[in-house]
Amino acid sequence: MTLELPDLTPGQFNLVYNMFSFTIATMFAAFVYFVLAQKNLAPKYRVSMMVSALVVLIAGYHYFRIFGSWDAAYALEGGQYVFQDDQPFNDAYRYVDWLLTVPLLVVELVLVLGLPKGESGSLMARLGFAAALMIILGYPGEVSGDASLMGERGLWGFISTIPFVYILYVLFTELSSTIQRQSGRVAKLLSNARLLLLATWGFYPIAYMIPMFSAGYPTETPGAVVALQVGYTICDVLAKAGYGVLIYAIAKAKSEEEGFVVDEMVKPASAEA
Amino acid sequence: MTLELPDLTPGQFNLVYNMFSFTIATMFAAFVYFVLAQKNLAPKYRVSMMVSALVVLIAGYHYFRIFGSWDAAYALEGGQYVFQDDQPFNDAYRYVDWLLTVPLLVVELVLVLGLPKGESGSLMARLGFAAALMIILGYPGEVSGDASLMGERGLWGFISTIPFVYILYVLFTELSSTIQRQSGRVAKLLSNARLLLLATWGFYPIAYMIPMFSAGYPTETPGAVVALQVGYTICDVLAKAGYGVLIYAIAKAKSEEEGFVVDEMVKPASAEA
């Protein structure tokens, strides 16, 4: 899935360029934070931060590639960023990224709930499988030359919405009772994480539909191309790094409620006597 | 915000080039130090070093990019470094960097104070928000073609000074009583950190104003361009790596006062008998 792109003004080109670079820095910084912050959590919640760390590491790698592909796809000629036919922009990095990270994002949420073993495994398997299926089924529509609503893009987009609706159904019905069982503070944080997931994931199908309603997309619609890249990028930062911070807050709150106080873990030897 | 730059002498070009490289080495070395040095601190102060580590990691990444952009923007032709029109210097990396790191720098300072939870959260939120606002409001003036004092640069520069003044107000009034409550040694270190922050952050608005008073900036003022890049770089090293070392000294002093003695943490097994 390489994209032919329109020529851009320096302002348009640089906005996307700087957003990609911003995201690389954010993802790798989040990776370091999630790795280091694990030790502040009760051991049973550390694995959710491990998974959060993997997600932002994978995303950081892909943004590094996307940044390189964007940079190579354009050359500044006469004050204008001109698309280079021999260096098409590879947007498929996003699908590869999502195929790996989206199932991990639902796994994070399930892990931080700290459910009994049997329950948690089944939930992760079902949600993770649905998440992967959603990405796989969206892909044929994305690469299809036919971007119309009633054509291939519309068809595959519709089919891939089915697992998405299933995920939302599980999160907002099956998980609701589990969330209610938590303390007030944790329940509030979990609701926020679920809403952030809904708000950010909800943007992707909207973005997917842009080409259906933009005549001449992408080569004749520079504004739509820039809006789409910036939009995807903001969503990825919120859905991965921002969401990871929320998961961390949940894990921290639950650790404290269960009596894990980080300061007491490493009392000086003299104090133990 | 890509800059058209003037041609430079080899001495001018290399001064900036070597300063950038120096900064990459300093930031990544500081990152490793801040990560490793955490274990010498009482657990409650470790998070301030984690944030310090993130700041210098993010800055190291951006200097790596700035270095690459500077290098690509020039070619040595006939003993002179000639600016390449098709490879403009991307100075926007600085703003992206500041947007991420400047809020984190105030967070570091608040974290190392070790305030009660409610107090600390509100202070971090207010100062972090003001810091981000300061950067965001400065940006339109920086990218505006109108660099005059009474024009767009002057206007946005003035507006972005408002959150800066707010930050200084909080640091020098609200925080003064908190600093007074600390022991003499810690209070001295905290005052130094606050002064370093004032001195380094105070340089940025001065640098921001250089174009207002340099006719023909940047293409006709090689001296001002070199001074600005070197000045920003020295400030970043002091405000991020140097400031992080001060924060470490504060965290160490407070850890010791609170009875955390690193040597007692790792007594040989025989000593316990």
Side-chain angles (χ1 to χ4, degrees):
Chain A
M1 184 178 91
T2 49
L3 274 180
E4 300 280 314
L5 293 178
D7 294 350
L8 298 176
T9 67
Q12 288 171 329
F13 173 82
N14 282 314
L15 178 62
V16 175
Y17 181 94
N18 289 316
M19 281 298 297
F20 288 164
S21 179
F22 167 86
T23 306
I24 296 169
T26 305
M27 294 295 185
F28 287 127
F31 170 71
V32 171
Y33 185 78
F34 295 155
V35 169
L36 294 179
Q38 277 187 69
K39 62 180 179 305
N40 300 337
L41 303 174
K44 67 185 283 201
Y45 297 114
R46 288 183 190 164
V47 67
S48 65
M49 282 338 282
M50 262 186 242
V51 177
S52 304
L54 296 190
V55 165
V56 290
L57 178 68
I58 294 168
Y61 163 76
H62 283 114
Y63 269 90
F64 191 81
R65 289 282 181 211
I66 292 170
F67 175 91
S69 180
W70 180 260
D71 194 29
Y74 282 96
L76 184 57
E77 290 166 16
Q80 185 81 350
Y81 277 88
V82 177
F83 179 68
Q84 307 291 298
D85 292 322
D86 60 340
Q87 295 275 2
F89 179 55
N90 182 17
D91 213 23
Y93 288 126
R94 294 196 183 282
Y95 274 79
V96 178
D97 181 73
W98 295 336
L99 188 59
L100 285 161
T101 57
V102 172
L104 291 176
L105 288 170
V106 292
V107 165
E108 266 177 58
L109 188 66
V110 174
L111 283 173
V112 86
L113 290 172
L115 299 171
K117 212 156 204 172
E119 225 175 301
S120 155
S122 139
L123 204 53
M124 282 194 277
R126 283 186 289 138
L127 288 176
F129 180 73
L133 202 63
M134 172 175 83
I135 304 301
I136 292 168
L137 291 172
Y139 187 71
E142 186 80 57
V143 293
S144 145
D146 173 11
S148 64
L149 180 62
M150 291 300 162
E152 284 192 52
R153 194 179 186 94
L155 177 71
W156 288 107
F158 177 76
I159 296 175
S160 90
T161 306
I162 299 168
F164 181 47
V165 170
Y166 172 74
I167 294 170
L168 293 183
Y169 173 80
V170 172
L171 290 182
F172 285 87
T173 62
E174 212 177 312
L175 275 194
S176 286
S177 59
T178 311
I179 292 178
Q180 240 96 82
R181 282 206 306 270
Q182 316 277 333
S183 75
R185 181 174 160 215
V186 171
K188 182 96 184 66
L189 288 166
L190 278 169
S191 287
N192 288 347
R194 197 171 56 171
L195 283 179
L196 180 66
L197 193 148
L198 176 66
T200 50
W201 289 26
F203 180 82
Y204 298 104
I206 296 170
Y208 190 87
M209 289 169 77
I210 288 179
M212 300 180 193
F213 302 104
S214 307
Y217 180 90
T219 46
E220 291 162 38
T221 57
V225 166
V226 170
L228 192 58
Q229 293 301 331
V230 170
Y232 271 151
T233 304
I234 293 172
C235 276
D236 276 342
V237 168
L238 292 175
K240 293 177 169 113
Y243 178 81
V245 170
L246 260 180
I247 297 284
Y248 175 69
I250 295 166
K252 190 93 176 21
K254 294 191 75 165
S255 298
E256 283 167 14
E257 280 176 11
E258 291 168 21
F260 181 92
V261 183
V262 72
D263 282 323
E264 290 178 7
M265 293 298 122
V266 277
K267 264 189 186 147
S270 57
E272 275 165 30
Chain B
M1 184 178 93
T2 49
L3 274 181
E4 300 280 315
L5 294 178
D7 294 351
L8 299 176
T9 68
Q12 288 171 329
F13 173 83
N14 283 315
L15 178 62
V16 175
Y17 181 94
N18 289 317
M19 280 298 297
F20 288 164
S21 180
F22 166 85
T23 306
I24 296 169
T26 305
M27 294 294 185
F28 287 132
F31 170 71
V32 171
Y33 184 77
F34 296 155
V35 168
L36 295 179
Q38 277 186 76
K39 62 180 178 306
N40 301 337
L41 303 174
K44 66 186 285 201
Y45 297 114
R46 288 183 189 164
V47 67
S48 66
M49 282 337 282
M50 256 188 246
V51 177
S52 305
L54 295 190
V55 165
V56 291
L57 177 68
I58 293 168
Y61 164 76
H62 284 115
Y63 269 90
F64 191 81
R65 290 279 184 208
I66 291 170
F67 175 91
S69 182
W70 179 260
D71 195 28
Y74 283 95
L76 185 57
E77 289 166 16
Q80 185 78 350
Y81 277 88
V82 178
F83 178 68
Q84 307 291 299
D85 291 322
D86 60 340
Q87 294 279 0
F89 179 56
N90 183 18
D91 214 23
Y93 287 127
R94 295 196 183 282
Y95 272 81
V96 176
D97 180 72
W98 295 336
L99 188 60
L100 286 162
T101 57
V102 173
L104 292 177
L105 288 170
V106 292
V107 164
E108 266 178 59
L109 187 65
V110 175
L111 283 173
V112 86
L113 290 172
L115 299 172
K117 210 157 204 172
E119 224 175 302
S120 154
S122 139
L123 203 55
M124 282 193 278
R126 284 187 287 138
L127 289 176
F129 180 75
L133 202 64
M134 172 175 83
I135 304 301
I136 291 168
L137 291 173
Y139 187 70
E142 186 81 56
V143 292
S144 145
D146 173 9
S148 64
L149 180 62
M150 291 298 161
E152 284 192 51
R153 194 179 186 95
L155 177 71
W156 288 107
F158 177 76
I159 296 175
S160 89
T161 306
I162 299 169
F164 182 46
V165 169
Y166 173 74
I167 294 170
L168 293 182
Y169 173 80
V170 172
L171 290 181
F172 285 86
T173 61
E174 212 177 311
L175 274 194
S176 287
S177 59
T178 310
I179 292 179
Q180 239 96 82
R181 281 205 307 269
Q182 317 278 331
S183 75
R185 181 173 160 216
V186 171
K188 182 98 187 64
L189 287 167
L190 277 170
S191 286
N192 288 347
R194 197 170 57 170
L195 283 178
L196 180 65
L197 193 148
L198 176 66
T200 51
W201 290 26
F203 179 81
Y204 296 105
I206 297 169
Y208 189 87
M209 290 169 76
I210 288 179
M212 301 179 191
F213 301 104
S214 307
Y217 181 89
T219 45
E220 292 162 36
T221 56
V225 165
V226 170
L228 191 58
Q229 294 301 330
V230 170
Y232 271 150
T233 305
I234 292 172
C235 275
D236 276 342
V237 169
L238 292 174
K240 293 177 169 113
Y243 178 81
V245 171
L246 260 181
I247 296 285
Y248 175 70
I250 296 166
K252 191 90 176 24
K254 293 192 76 165
S255 297
E256 284 168 12
E257 279 176 11
E258 291 168 22
F260 182 92
V261 184
V262 74
D263 282 326
E264 291 180 8
M265 294 297 120
V266 279
K267 266 188 185 148
S270 58
E272 275 165 29

